[in-house]
Amino acid sequence: QQSANITRRVFSDRVEQIMFENGHANSAKFVNMVRKWYEAVDKRGIQLYTRLNDMVLMHDYLTENLNFCVFPPPSRYIKGIPAVTFEGILQSISIRMVLYGLAKDHKYNQRAVSTLAVESFFSDLTEMEFSNTGKYHSKFVFK
């Protein structure tokens, strides 16, 4: 299931604020980072350096304390994200940044690059939402 509406609600400013107020600063920081990354990939009219910075924040979070010399990965999940989705996110961020460097005047339609990795990640994040039974379904690791 891919639902941008659910994801926007889960990663909203308001949710971030409530998490911070309730003493969950790391989770609030994660919500902020994911929202900024999503907007960097999807939103129109963002300044170039803001867009690139927000993508770098997500990249740095995902690659922090990661050993790329281990292959294959020790499990099907990397930092709680399915390995294929994890790799797709890193590839998406990298290709967008490279394209800015290659494009004339460092401008191109950033929405022309596939958003499949973003959509897959948000589909995974949607599973984290509380179900009607109150059960929390998540394998994601928040630091």
Side-chain angles (χ1 to χ4, degrees):
Q1 176 183 1
Q2 296 177 358
S3 174
N5 290 333
I6 291 172
T7 306
R8 283 189 190 109
R9 190 171 64 227
V10 170
F11 293 94
S12 67
D13 289 329
R14 181 73 180 130
V15 169
E16 176 188 352
Q17 178 186 359
I18 291 170
M19 286 181 163
F20 189 78
E21 290 170 358
N22 288 328
H24 303 288
N26 288 336
S27 295
K29 181 180 174 184
F30 181 79
V31 166
N32 178 277
M33 179 195 56
V34 170
R35 182 179 59 256
K36 287 181 176 181
W37 168 67
Y38 178 80
E39 290 174 352
V41 173
D42 191 61
K43 193 173 180 180
R44 294 183 172 110
I46 296 176
Q47 294 294 317
L48 172 62
Y49 293 105
T50 300
R51 187 181 305 279
L52 293 176
N53 183 63
D54 291 347
M55 285 191 278
V56 167
L57 289 174
M58 180 61 123
H59 179 275
D60 289 350
Y61 171 79
L62 292 175
T63 59
E64 181 180 31
N65 300 321
L66 204 61
N67 183 355
F68 285 100
C69 295
V70 176
F71 188 83
S75 77
R76 297 181 320 167
Y77 294 87
I78 303 171
K79 291 200 172 182
I81 302 170
V84 173
T85 302
F86 181 88
E87 292 167 354
I89 292 169
L90 291 181
Q91 180 184 35
S92 171
I93 292 170
S94 298
I95 196 66
R96 289 169 192 280
M97 296 185 80
V98 167
L99 285 173
Y100 276 113
L102 295 174
K104 183 179 179 181
D105 298 324
H106 305 292
K107 296 177 183 177
Y108 76 98
N109 180 355
Q110 57 87 26
R111 297 187 82 195
V113 179
S114 173
T115 59
L116 182 58
V118 178
E119 293 166 7
S120 294
F121 185 56
F122 281 99
S123 175
D124 294 336
L125 291 174
T126 300
E127 292 179 20
M128 294 171 50
E129 186 184 26
F130 287 95
S131 67
N132 290 335
T133 62
K135 294 180 181 176
Y136 190 62
H137 306 284
S138 176
K139 293 183 181 179
F140 289 93
V141 178
F142 301 113
K143 293 182 180 179

